[in-house]
Amino acid sequence: MHLKILIHGHPGVGKTVLASTAKDALLLDVEGGTLSILDKIEKKQITVEKINEFEDLEKIYTELKSGKYKDKKTIILDSLTEIQKKLMDKIVKDHPEIKRAYGDGLALSDWGYNIERMRRFVRTYRDLPMDVIFICLSQIVKDENTGATTLMPSLSGKLASDICGYVDIVGYLYAKENKEEEVERHLLFQPISKFFAKDRSGKLGISMENPSIIKIREKIFDKNEVKK
């Protein structure tokens, strides 16, 4: 009965707003971008913890396991793109013995270690007994053999495809203007054209207009159970 989902899209499209529609949510604000949900924060409809360093994420995970946030049903990590950068900062700080180009450049070993640590980090949070929502920016990835491009979560190397395999749902969020010149938001669940998305449940269709986490849960799980 737990939702494990990754939402990716371009900046400002509404990823944080969408994630904040989850019930009893704790949002880990890594990007410092919660202005769009300020009203929900002020009304205490969502709890936000500011993340300054990667160690803060490790600390909150320990607190989650110990029951500090036992009233929360959802954890939101916003965003994995920024979390990978904070992890790299930690790696560089913790390993000054490694020779890096220009002093502050990154060694190949830094990236290898970063990617493996990110894999473990995502799996650890994913396995929490609650709904887990990962947010990520999008980037264009080009296949060097075929030249084909795919819009994937913005993570380095093969990490994007690996993490997409760790969750049940990958949704690509986009906005478009309708005939009334109003902005509509759509969450794509199928790999249409160059956009990467997936739905292991098989219940979400191609896309959802004006999506919310509650609507997604109702489609996947029994509606009566969702309302409890």
Side-chain angles (χ1 to χ4, degrees):
M1 290 299 296
H2 296 305
L3 182 68
K4 313 294 180 177
I5 182 171
L6 186 153
I7 300 167
H8 70 107
H10 294 299
V13 77
K15 300 182 294 297
T16 303
V17 173
L18 169 56
S20 72
T21 62
K23 187 176 181 181
D24 300 324
L26 169 66
L27 186 147
L28 306 187
D29 176 24
V30 191
E31 293 194 337
T34 56
L35 186 60
S36 60
I37 58 169
L38 184 59
D39 59 330
K40 292 186 177 182
I41 297 172
E42 292 176 340
K43 294 176 183 177
K44 301 188 184 303
Q45 295 173 345
I46 187 169
T47 300
V48 175
E49 292 286 358
K50 176 63 179 172
I51 304 299
N52 297 307
E53 301 177 310
F54 187 81
E55 288 86 346
D56 296 337
L57 294 161
E58 297 174 316
K59 177 176 178 286
I60 288 178
Y61 176 79
T62 301
E63 293 173 341
L64 283 163
K65 295 290 287 184
S66 67
K68 178 180 178 180
Y69 300 98
K70 60 183 178 182
D71 60 322
K72 300 303 176 185
K73 296 181 179 179
T74 307
I75 182 80
I76 304 166
L77 293 93
D78 187 8
S79 68
L80 285 181
T81 305
E82 191 64 26
I83 287 173
Q84 186 177 23
K85 294 176 182 177
K86 289 193 180 298
L87 175 56
M88 187 62 84
D89 291 340
K90 173 178 169 56
I91 291 170
V92 172
K93 181 180 68 175
D94 290 350
H95 298 278
E97 74 280 2
I98 296 177
K99 293 182 179 180
R100 298 179 174 92
Y102 311 110
D104 58 354
L106 297 173
L108 187 61
S109 59
D110 291 330
W111 285 110
Y113 184 47
N114 177 285
I115 289 171
E116 185 54 39
R117 282 287 302 273
M118 280 295 294
R119 289 189 183 111
R120 296 202 303 266
F121 170 83
V122 170
R123 290 197 301 265
T124 298
Y125 263 90
R126 176 205 61 185
D127 292 340
L128 286 167
M130 59 197 307
D131 285 1
V132 181
I133 304 172
F134 298 107
I135 296 177
C136 208
L137 291 173
S138 295
Q139 69 176 355
I140 295 175
V141 177
K142 183 177 180 179
D143 188 309
E144 296 301 328
N145 295 319
T146 65
T149 58
T150 306
L151 204 63
M152 296 282 293
S154 183
L155 297 162
S156 62
K158 296 181 179 179
L159 187 60
S161 57
D162 289 346
I163 289 179
C164 286
Y166 297 160
V167 296
D168 296 318
I169 311 294
V170 177
Y172 171 69
L173 185 66
Y174 64 97
K176 69 177 184 179
E177 191 175 284
N178 60 23
K179 294 179 180 179
E180 288 73 34
E181 297 185 351
E182 298 171 335
V183 175
E184 294 179 350
R185 286 178 172 79
H186 296 258
L187 190 60
L188 186 68
F189 298 112
Q190 298 297 328
I192 305 298
S193 183
K194 64 179 181 180
F195 307 105
F196 185 88
K198 76 170 191 179
D199 168 26
R200 282 181 181 157
S201 75
K203 298 180 180 180
L204 295 173
I206 295 176
S207 67
M208 179 182 291
E209 183 179 340
N210 297 321
S212 75
I213 300 302
I214 292 176
K215 286 165 65 175
I216 293 171
R217 292 195 99 257
E218 286 181 344
K219 279 184 169 291
I220 296 176
F221 306 116
D222 181 81
K223 289 186 179 181
N224 294 325
E225 188 67 28
V226 170
K227 292 177 181 178
K228 290 181 180 179

